Amino acid sequence: MKTIIIQYSWLTGLIFSASLAAAQENRPMKLPQPRLETGMPLMQALQGRKSTREFSAEKLPEQVLSDLLWAAFGVNRPETGGRTAPSTSNWQDIDIYIASADGLYLFDAKNHALNMIQAKDIRALTGTQDFVGSAPINLIYVSDFTRMDSDTGAEDKKIAAAIDTGFIAQNVYLYSASMGLATVVRGSIDDEALAKAMSLKSTQWIVAAQSVGYPKK
C-alpha cells in the first residue's frame, strides 16, 4: 500500500501537491475550533467595514480561515443546528465553496470541516475582474433549491437565496473589518462557466462570490 504523506502549514494555509490533492478529494479536513474571543467590538467593526479590490498574495492562516467560515455561516447553537446568519424558513440553503490556489473546497458547517471538491485552481472563474484570480480565497455562495419548500416559485427561490446570501456576506465583511482583512462581494460572474467548472447540479444556483485576503501593501 502506498503511503501518502500530508503536509500542513499552520501559518501559511493548506499546502498540497497535485497528486496528493487529487487523492484527498471529498475527504473531510477538520478545521481548528473558531476563536470566539478574537476581534474588535461590533461598532468598531461596522465603522471599519468597506469593500477592497486589491489583495496581498499572502495566504490566510488555517486558524483565520476557520474563524472566517464560522463567522460567515457556522453553527453557533449545536443543540439546534442554528447558524451565525439567518435564512428564509431556516432552509439553510446556502453552501459556501472556497476557491483557493490549492483547489476548490466545500465548507461543512456541521462538522466545521472542509471537503475538497477538486484539486484545481479555479479562482479566475469566480468573477470577471482581474483581481479575483490572485485573491487568496474566493468564497462562492451557492443556493441548493432542493432544500426549499417544493411549492416555492422559481423567482421566490432566487429572492430568498439572495437575501440569505446577503446576511452571510455581511458577516464576512464584519469579520474582515474586525481582523484587518480585505474583502469585496461580487455579482459579476460568468455563471455558466463557473457552474460547469464546479460540476454543480441544475438545482444549484450561484448567487454571488466574495474575495477575501490581506490588503495589498
Side-chain angles (χ1 to χ4, degrees):
M1 181 181 294
K2 184 178 179 181
T3 300
I4 299 176
I5 300 176
I6 302 178
Q7 295 180 326
Y8 291 95
S9 175
W10 188 265
L11 295 178
T12 59
L14 302 172
I15 302 175
F16 296 97
S17 67
S19 59
L20 174 58
Q24 291 294 84
E25 286 186 13
N26 297 317
R27 294 184 182 181
M29 298 158 50
K30 192 71 176 177
L31 291 165
Q33 286 299 304
R35 301 169 298 176
L36 304 185
E37 73 287 351
T38 193
M40 63 174 60
L42 174 61
M43 298 302 279
Q44 293 180 27
L46 285 166
Q47 185 179 41
R49 192 221 64 81
K50 63 180 180 179
S51 294
T52 305
R53 293 171 176 80
E54 293 186 323
F55 299 87
S56 163
E58 181 182 356
K59 289 187 176 182
L60 295 182
E62 186 179 351
Q63 183 66 62
V64 171
L65 181 59
S66 169
D67 298 346
L68 170 69
L69 292 172
W70 183 86
F73 202 34
V75 175
N76 64 354
R77 287 153 289 162
E79 66 279 5
T80 63
R83 310 286 279 271
T84 58
S87 62
T88 305
S89 298
N90 197 32
W91 285 328
Q92 299 184 10
D93 59 292
I94 302 299
D95 285 317
I96 303 178
Y97 289 80
I98 301 95
S100 72
D102 300 315
L104 179 68
Y105 301 85
L106 175 61
F107 177 48
D108 176 356
K110 181 179 179 180
N111 296 302
H112 198 63
L114 293 179
N115 294 324
M116 175 171 269
I117 303 301
Q118 58 177 276
K120 185 178 180 181
D121 184 357
I122 66 166
R123 288 177 296 170
L125 293 176
T126 67
T128 59
Q129 300 96 328
D130 291 339
F131 67 82
V132 305
S134 57
I137 66 168
N138 289 289
L139 306 178
I140 308 163
Y141 302 123
V142 177
S143 178
D144 186 342
F145 290 159
T146 64
R147 297 177 195 163
M148 299 180 177
D149 292 342
S150 58
D151 59 351
T152 305
E155 189 63 25
D156 287 338
K157 287 181 180 179
K158 289 192 173 183
I159 291 173
I163 292 172
D164 296 346
T165 295
F167 292 130
I168 298 170
Q170 179 70 337
N171 280 359
V172 172
Y173 266 110
L174 293 177
Y175 175 80
S176 297
S178 179
M179 298 302 295
L181 298 176
T183 188
V184 61
V185 69
R186 305 176 282 95
S188 182
I189 303 167
D190 184 337
D191 296 348
E192 185 176 346
L194 181 56
K196 182 178 180 180
M198 296 172 66
S199 299
L200 296 181
K201 300 176 182 178
S202 60
T203 54
Q204 292 177 288
W205 180 53
I206 298 172
V207 186
Q210 189 165 10
S211 302
V212 185
Y214 290 106
K216 188 175 183 178
K217 298 178 180 178

Coordinates of all heavy atoms in Angstrom, one line a residue, residues 73 83 87-97 106-107 142-150 152 157 203-204:
F73 N -21.1 31.5 8.3 CA -22.3 30.7 8.4 C -22.1 29.4 9.2 O -22.5 28.4 8.8 CB -22.8 30.4 7.0 CG -24.2 30.0 6.8 CD1 -25.2 30.6 7.6 CD2 -24.7 29.1 5.9 CE1 -26.6 30.3 7.5 CE2 -26.0 28.8 5.7 CZ -26.9 29.4 6.6
R83 N -27.4 28.7 13.0 CA -26.2 29.2 12.4 C -26.0 30.7 12.7 O -26.9 31.4 13.3 CB -26.4 29.1 10.9 CG -26.8 27.7 10.4 CD -25.7 26.7 10.5 NE -24.8 26.8 9.3 CZ -25.0 26.2 8.2 NH1 -26.0 25.4 8.0 NH2 -24.1 26.3 7.2
S87 N -31.6 32.4 7.7 CA -32.0 32.0 6.4 C -33.5 31.9 6.3 O -34.2 31.6 7.3 CB -31.4 30.7 6.0 OG -31.8 29.6 6.8
T88 N -34.1 32.1 5.1 CA -35.5 32.0 4.9 C -36.1 30.7 5.4 O -35.6 29.6 4.9 CB -35.9 32.3 3.4 OG1 -35.3 33.5 3.0 CG2 -37.4 32.3 3.2
S89 N -37.1 30.7 6.3 CA -37.7 29.5 6.8 C -36.7 28.5 7.4 O -37.0 27.3 7.4 CB -38.5 28.8 5.7 OG -39.6 29.7 5.2
N90 N -35.5 29.0 7.7 CA -34.5 28.2 8.2 C -34.1 27.0 7.3 O -33.7 25.9 7.7 CB -34.8 27.5 9.6 CG -33.6 27.0 10.3 OD1 -32.5 27.5 10.2 ND2 -33.7 26.0 11.1
W91 N -34.2 27.4 6.0 CA -33.8 26.4 4.9 C -32.3 26.1 4.9 O -31.9 25.0 4.5 CB -34.3 26.9 3.5 CG -35.7 26.8 3.3 CD1 -36.6 25.9 3.8 CD2 -36.5 27.7 2.5 NE1 -37.9 26.1 3.3 CE2 -37.9 27.2 2.5 CE3 -36.2 28.8 1.7 CZ2 -38.9 27.8 1.8 CZ3 -37.2 29.4 1.0 CH2 -38.6 28.9 1.0
Q92 N -31.5 27.0 5.3 CA -30.1 26.9 5.3 C -29.6 26.4 3.9 O -28.9 25.4 3.8 CB -29.6 25.9 6.4 CG -29.9 26.4 7.8 CD -29.4 25.6 8.9 OE1 -28.6 24.7 8.7 NE2 -29.8 25.8 10.1
D93 N -30.2 27.1 2.9 CA -30.0 26.7 1.5 C -28.6 27.0 0.9 O -28.2 26.5 -0.1 CB -31.1 27.2 0.6 CG -31.1 28.8 0.6 OD1 -31.4 29.3 1.7 OD2 -30.7 29.4 -0.4
I94 N -27.9 27.9 1.6 CA -26.6 28.4 1.0 C -25.4 27.5 1.4 O -25.2 27.3 2.6 CB -26.3 29.9 1.5 CG1 -27.5 30.8 1.0 CG2 -25.0 30.4 0.9 CD1 -27.8 30.8 -0.5
D95 N -24.7 27.1 0.4 CA -23.4 26.4 0.7 C -22.3 27.4 0.3 O -22.4 28.1 -0.6 CB -23.3 25.2 -0.3 CG -24.2 24.0 0.2 OD1 -24.2 23.8 1.5 OD2 -24.8 23.4 -0.6
I96 N -21.2 27.3 1.1 CA -20.1 28.1 0.8 C -19.0 27.3 0.3 O -18.5 26.4 0.9 CB -19.6 28.8 2.1 CG1 -20.7 29.7 2.7 CG2 -18.4 29.7 1.8 CD1 -20.3 30.4 4.0
Y97 N -18.6 27.6 -1.0 CA -17.4 26.9 -1.6 C -16.3 27.9 -1.5 O -16.4 29.1 -1.5 CB -17.7 26.6 -3.1 CG -18.7 25.5 -3.3 CD1 -20.1 25.7 -3.2 CD2 -18.3 24.2 -3.7 CE1 -21.0 24.7 -3.4 CE2 -19.2 23.2 -3.9 CZ -20.5 23.4 -3.8 OH -21.4 22.4 -4.0
L106 N -15.5 22.7 -0.1 CA -16.9 23.0 0.3 C -16.9 23.0 1.9 O -16.4 22.0 2.5 CB -17.9 21.9 -0.2 CG -19.3 22.0 0.3 CD1 -20.0 23.3 -0.1 CD2 -20.1 20.8 -0.2
F107 N -17.4 24.1 2.4 CA -17.5 24.2 3.9 C -18.6 23.3 4.5 O -19.7 23.5 4.1 CB -17.7 25.7 4.3 CG -17.8 25.9 5.8 CD1 -16.9 25.4 6.7 CD2 -18.8 26.7 6.2 CE1 -17.0 25.6 8.0 CE2 -19.0 26.9 7.6 CZ -18.1 26.4 8.5
V142 N -23.6 29.4 -3.1 CA -24.4 28.6 -3.9 C -25.7 28.1 -3.2 O -25.6 27.6 -2.1 CB -23.7 27.3 -4.4 CG1 -24.6 26.5 -5.3 CG2 -22.4 27.7 -5.2
S143 N -26.8 28.5 -3.8 CA -28.1 28.0 -3.2 C -28.5 26.7 -3.7 O -28.5 26.5 -4.9 CB -29.2 29.1 -3.4 OG -30.4 28.7 -2.9
D144 N -28.9 25.8 -2.8 CA -29.4 24.5 -3.2 C -31.0 24.6 -3.1 O -31.5 24.5 -2.0 CB -28.9 23.4 -2.3 CG -29.3 22.0 -2.7 OD1 -30.2 21.9 -3.5 OD2 -28.6 21.1 -2.2
F145 N -31.6 24.7 -4.2 CA -33.1 24.8 -4.2 C -33.8 23.6 -3.7 O -35.0 23.7 -3.3 CB -33.6 25.1 -5.7 CG -33.2 26.5 -6.2 CD1 -33.1 26.8 -7.5 CD2 -32.8 27.5 -5.3 CE1 -32.8 28.0 -8.0 CE2 -32.5 28.8 -5.8 CZ -32.4 29.0 -7.1
T146 N -33.2 22.5 -3.6 CA -33.9 21.3 -3.1 C -34.1 21.4 -1.6 O -34.9 20.6 -1.1 CB -33.1 20.0 -3.4 OG1 -31.8 20.0 -2.7 CG2 -32.8 19.8 -4.9
R147 N -33.5 22.3 -1.0 CA -33.7 22.5 0.5 C -34.9 23.4 0.8 O -35.3 23.6 1.9 CB -32.5 23.0 1.2 CG -31.3 22.1 1.1 CD -30.0 22.7 1.7 NE -28.8 22.0 1.3 CZ -27.6 22.4 1.3 NH1 -27.4 23.7 1.8 NH2 -26.6 21.7 0.9
M148 N -35.4 24.0 -0.3 CA -36.6 24.9 -0.1 C -37.9 24.1 -0.3 O -37.9 23.0 -0.9 CB -36.5 26.0 -1.1 CG -35.3 26.9 -1.0 SD -35.2 28.2 -2.3 CE -33.7 29.1 -1.8
D149 N -39.0 24.7 0.2 CA -40.3 24.1 0.1 C -40.6 23.9 -1.4 O -40.3 24.8 -2.2 CB -41.4 24.9 0.7 CG -41.2 24.9 2.2 OD1 -40.5 24.1 2.8 OD2 -41.8 25.8 2.8
S150 N -41.1 22.7 -1.8 CA -41.3 22.4 -3.2 C -42.3 23.3 -3.8 O -42.3 23.4 -5.1 CB -41.8 20.9 -3.3 OG -43.0 20.7 -2.5
T152 N -42.5 26.5 -3.5 CA -42.0 27.8 -3.7 C -41.7 28.1 -5.1 O -41.0 27.3 -5.8 CB -40.7 28.0 -2.8 OG1 -41.0 27.7 -1.5 CG2 -40.2 29.4 -2.9
K157 N -37.6 31.6 -5.0 CA -36.5 30.9 -4.5 C -35.2 31.7 -4.7 O -34.3 31.8 -3.8 CB -36.3 29.6 -5.3 CG -37.3 28.5 -4.9 CD -37.0 27.2 -5.7 CE -38.0 26.1 -5.4 NZ -37.8 24.9 -6.2
T203 N -30.1 22.1 -9.9 CA -30.9 22.7 -8.8 C -30.1 23.6 -7.9 O -30.5 24.0 -6.9 CB -31.5 21.5 -7.9 OG1 -30.4 20.6 -7.6 CG2 -32.5 20.7 -8.7
Q204 N -28.8 23.8 -8.3 CA -27.9 24.7 -7.6 C -27.7 26.0 -8.3 O -27.5 25.9 -9.6 CB -26.6 24.0 -7.3 CG -26.6 22.8 -6.4 CD -25.3 22.2 -6.2 OE1 -24.8 21.5 -7.1 NE2 -24.6 22.3 -5.0

